[in-house]
Amino acid sequence: MNTGPSQRTCLGSEEANPFVAVCEEIAWTARMLGVADGIVERLLHPERVIEISIPVLMDDGSLRIFTGYRAQHTLTLGPAKGGIRFHPDVTLDEVKALAMWMTLKCGVVGLPYGGAKGGVTCDPQQLSLRELEQLSRGYVRGIFPVIGPDVDIPAPDVHTNARVMAWMVDEYSRLAGKPVLGAFTGKPVALGGSLGREEATARGCVIVIETAAQLIGLDLSGATVAIQGFGNVGSNAARLLYEKGLRVIGVTDVMGGVYNESGIDIRALLDYSRQVGTVRGFPGGQSLTNSELFALDCDILIPAAIEHQITSQNANDVRAKIVAEAANGPTTSAANDILVDKGILVLPDILTNAGGVTVSYFEWIQNRTGLYWSEEEVRTRLEQVMARAFNQVYTVHQEKGVDMRRAAYMVGLGRVVQALQGL
Ligand code: GLU
């Protein structure tokens, strides 16, 4: 099997900085595809990056300045597309890396978009609803000149949701002097959002897990699952898998975790976490740490939090048969190689979590045509897109003798390169 970039590089920088990591992966993939140096150089540099200062009048009367970013990796294949995260660890390098991953992800599922990502360095849990709204609207005022339905279309990501998108699209429309619903996706359904968008990332992830399980002969009835993260993606994945009869035995979030060998009652956990704000302390199980979660004896491990959670430090502890990357970049390249060597099937992020951006694309189409689809139509189309992408990645995996992660990179990058080569 062709080994990936981690064999050739200093593990330290690759594991510490996602931007270094994704550049390494792109360079490696480009070499595998025989891409010309000039095109590789182009792909290693986002087309546009903007850093903004967002003043927010806090509830205590003080003025705080938050820093926000938007990185547009490619603006050549169509509008750029990608979420906005509100998180204390947001940096420019992280946003640039995430924008590159979005380019590759859109390539894997064949969407007519380039990649983008945005973020604000903040702790949204420390902000009141009013402060959060001011921050969201201020962010849009800052990036207004460089976004729009034909340029760059933001969406939710870590700690942002439909409500944040509602404020943002409203601010955008005010500045534009007309309603521009297609400027953002992941909006509330009443404001032009698509049915099925909220659970789309999780649903796409479940489709990929089901397809993979069938291929490796893993019977999913009663299969055990461990999930890191109980935000939009983690909680919806837990619910969908629970409804399908799988046993979710461990769940963690930033505050703590819960373990129950005979399966956690996910509906009760959803109610609990909605009320308490965390899964920690849930009465239907014992407490569980993140490192214990990664080491659980289970069939499927789903990292659904943030990047670089499974590293060379803890990859050896993983005992799952399948690692399904619902988060963006949760496994470092070095960790991926360790998992693959252990015989674990790693389902890569740019395939596994692409359901979100796919239904965002559906939402954008619905906004632009004014014709709104039923939930069933959204699901059917999502299934088609995910199944086609899975098959393409799996074929490259088999034909080229590379693992699924590198195969996904080859499919995603291949599409982008094809377009750039024609210029
Ligand atoms: N934030 C999601 C992602 O990382 C969705 C992006 C979008 O819908 O544009 O894929």
Side-chain angles (χ1 to χ4, degrees), residues 103-384:
T103 298
L104 299 169
K105 192 186 300 186
C106 292
V108 168
V109 277
L111 306 181
Y113 290 142
K117 201 72 160 206
V120 177
T121 316
C122 67
D123 184 353
Q125 268 139 354
Q126 300 299 318
L127 299 176
S128 70
L129 205 61
R130 193 199 62 82
E131 290 165 343
L132 201 61
E133 176 175 352
Q134 292 312 308
L135 184 65
S136 305
R137 290 183 181 275
Y139 179 77
V140 173
R141 288 194 292 275
I143 64 165
F144 180 76
V146 297
I147 60 166
D150 296 313
V151 186
D152 175 3
I153 310 138
D157 196 79
V158 176
H159 291 318
T160 53
N161 54 20
R163 177 158 57 189
V164 172
M165 293 307 114
W167 291 324
M168 288 189 171
V169 79
D170 182 59
E171 191 65 28
Y172 185 93
S173 296
R174 280 169 195 239
L175 292 168
K178 59 182 179 188
V180 191
L181 294 181
F184 287 80
T185 60
K187 304 177 293 290
V189 172
L191 241 184
S194 176
L195 293 169
R197 172 60 185 89
E198 196 148 313
E199 58 162 42
T201 309
R203 187 169 284 281
C205 177
V206 170
I207 296 168
V208 169
I209 291 171
E210 285 177 329
T211 317
Q214 215 168 9
L215 275 169
I216 65 165
L218 173 69
D219 180 8
L220 286 184
S221 57
T224 50
V225 184
I227 303 178
Q228 182 204 24
F230 209 61
N232 171 289
V233 184
S235 65
N236 276 304
R239 178 180 59 78
L240 291 169
L241 293 170
Y242 173 77
E243 283 168 4
K244 284 177 181 284
L246 283 80
R247 232 170 350 124
V248 182
I249 59 169
V251 174
T252 56
D253 62 24
V254 275
M255 317 265 279
V258 54
Y259 171 72
N260 186 332
E261 198 189 342
S262 45
I264 298 164
D265 178 345
I266 294 299
R267 284 188 190 287
L269 184 64
L270 283 165
D271 286 345
Y272 178 87
S273 84
R274 232 173 263 132
Q275 279 164 23
V276 183
T278 171
V279 300
R280 190 184 63 188
F282 176 62
Q286 300 140 250
S287 83
L288 181 75
T289 66
N290 230 357
S291 30
E292 287 166 346
L293 176 105
F294 285 139
L296 277 183
D297 186 7
C298 62
D299 294 307
I300 303 158
L301 172 63
I302 306 180
I306 54 170
E307 61 274 6
H308 288 193
Q309 297 300 296
I310 306 178
T311 67
S312 54
Q313 307 297 309
N314 60 3
N316 267 310
D317 303 336
V318 174
R319 289 195 282 165
K321 296 187 181 73
I322 293 177
V323 171
E325 296 185 328
N328 289 309
T331 314
T332 65
S333 180
N336 175 75
D337 293 348
I338 296 170
L339 298 177
V340 171
D341 282 348
K342 280 164 64 103
I344 297 170
L345 176 61
V346 182
L347 300 172
D349 53 357
I350 55 173
L351 166 68
T352 309
N353 71 28
V357 72
T358 301
V359 178
S360 273
Y361 169 56
F362 298 163
E363 179 171 329
W364 179 75
I365 293 175
Q366 292 172 73
N367 294 149
R368 310 206 87 185
T369 58
L371 185 69
Y372 284 82
W373 307 355
S374 69
E375 188 151 4
E376 202 190 321
E377 181 161 7
V378 169
R379 278 190 199 174
T380 310
R381 285 181 184 267
L382 175 63
E383 270 159 29
Q384 284 165 353

Side-chain angles (χ1 to χ4, degrees), residues 18-168:
F19 181 63
V20 175
V22 69
C23 286
E24 291 288 343
E25 307 251 22
I26 287 182
W28 181 87
T29 313
R31 252 192 305 278
M32 286 290 289
L33 295 170
V35 179
D37 286 351
I39 292 185
V40 181
E41 256 330 286
R42 227 182 132 157
L43 290 169
L44 296 179
H45 295 88
E47 284 197 38
R48 181 154 59 194
V49 168
I50 176 169
E51 177 178 327
I52 56 169
S53 299
I54 313 161
V56 174
L57 186 61
M58 306 299 282
D59 290 349
D60 65 5
S62 67
L63 188 77
R64 251 183 88 182
I65 309 292
F66 292 88
T67 303
Y69 308 97
R70 186 78 182 163
Q72 296 163 343
H73 179 234
T74 32
L75 290 158
T76 316
L77 308 151
K81 186 87 191 79
I84 297 162
R85 66 175 53 180
F86 287 175
H87 194 276
D89 297 337
V90 165
T91 63
L92 179 58
D93 265 3
E94 185 201 37
V95 166
K96 277 161 52 179
L98 289 160
M100 286 178 166
W101 274 319
M102 285 308 301
T103 298
L104 299 169
K105 192 186 300 186
C106 292
V108 168
V109 277
L111 306 181
Y113 290 142
K117 201 72 160 206
V120 177
T121 316
C122 67
D123 184 353
Q125 268 139 354
Q126 300 299 318
L127 299 176
S128 70
L129 205 61
R130 193 199 62 82
E131 290 165 343
L132 201 61
E133 176 175 352
Q134 292 312 308
L135 184 65
S136 305
R137 290 183 181 275
Y139 179 77
V140 173
R141 288 194 292 275
I143 64 165
F144 180 76
V146 297
I147 60 166
D150 296 313
V151 186
D152 175 3
I153 310 138
D157 196 79
V158 176
H159 291 318
T160 53
N161 54 20
R163 177 158 57 189
V164 172
M165 293 307 114
W167 291 324
M168 288 189 171

